[in-house]
């Protein structure tokens, strides 16, 4: 299974647009039922399943979040990308994320690589 | 198992320095005996084991290769990074790579995300 790079970039852009301004359930709906989410990688916690993933995004709900794609790379049914997320105009984080997708374009796994050194106070 | 971000960045910088100017066997020696390499992701081929990995890097041997780290993110025993590789001063490729490491600092897996759209003719 493989997607053209612009299709994968469309999936990622939809994800970033949804993170900025939608409910946790709307973000979780972009994930497959049995998807996994690790954010940050190495943080010791992997969220498994759409319900757990919705719980993770509850942390962002109601905050003024903007997400901007900075660099995008495609590969088969996977994508790796550098982006910036700005929270309440006060904090900017620049993670690299890796996502895999199923044939329906749902996210099957997400891993976010970032740490305190990738946070800027604005 | 987890490494400090600057230790992981040191592993990655050593890898990039070795890719630029060393033999295929020297690059392969940075990998664990049973490591895997997928470059590019989605290309349909995963190289398994240090011998197969050395075979992959033979393609670069003898070429004038420079590798420059552009963005680095750490997570546990993993790293994700954007870098530029310049071949013979004629072609520049900017992949995002994801690497995992074992406790000895050897690379246990490498995945490189890039495609034709990430190549610039110089």
């Amino acid at each position: 299974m493989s997607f053209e790079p612009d299709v994968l970039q469309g999936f990622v852009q939809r994800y970033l647009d949804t993170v900025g301004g939608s409910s946790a359930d709307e973000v979780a709906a972009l994930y497959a039922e049995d998807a996994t989410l690790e954010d940050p990688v190495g943080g010791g916690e992997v969220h498994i399943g759409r319900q757990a993933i919705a719980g993770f995004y509850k942390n962002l709900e109601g905050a003024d979040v903007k997400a901007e794609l900075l660099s995008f790379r495609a590969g088969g049914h996977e994508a790796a990308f550098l982006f910036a997320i700005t929270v309440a105009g006060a904090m900017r984080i620049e993670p690299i994320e890796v996502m895999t997708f199923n044939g329906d374009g749902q996210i099957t796994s997400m891993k976010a690589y970032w740490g305190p050194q990738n946070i800027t106070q604005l």
Side-chain angles (χ1 to χ4, degrees), chain A residues 22-70:
Chain A
S22 304
S23 72
D25 286 342
E26 287 172 296
V27 181
L30 301 178
Y31 282 82
E33 193 61 61
D34 59 349
T36 60
L37 181 157
E38 187 176 4
D39 183 353
V41 172
E45 193 171 11
V46 179
H47 304 274
I48 302 172
R50 195 183 284 155
Q51 191 176 349
I53 288 170
F56 170 81
Y57 286 103
K58 285 277 182 204
N59 299 321
L60 284 178
E61 216 170 36
D64 173 25
V65 170
K66 289 188 177 63
E68 177 193 2
L69 187 59
L70 300 177

Side-chain angles (χ1 to χ4, degrees), chain A residues 88-106:
Chain A
M91 185 173 70
R92 180 183 168 98
I93 313 174
E94 292 194 5
I96 289 179
E97 286 194 1
V98 176
M99 287 182 166
T100 60
F101 297 89
N102 66 18
D104 295 326
Q106 293 176 312

Side-chain angles (χ1 to χ4, degrees), chain A residues 76-94:
Chain A
H77 64 283
E78 306 189 26
F81 54 100
L82 174 67
F83 73 106
I85 185 162
T86 308
V87 182
M91 185 173 70
R92 180 183 168 98
I93 313 174
E94 292 194 5

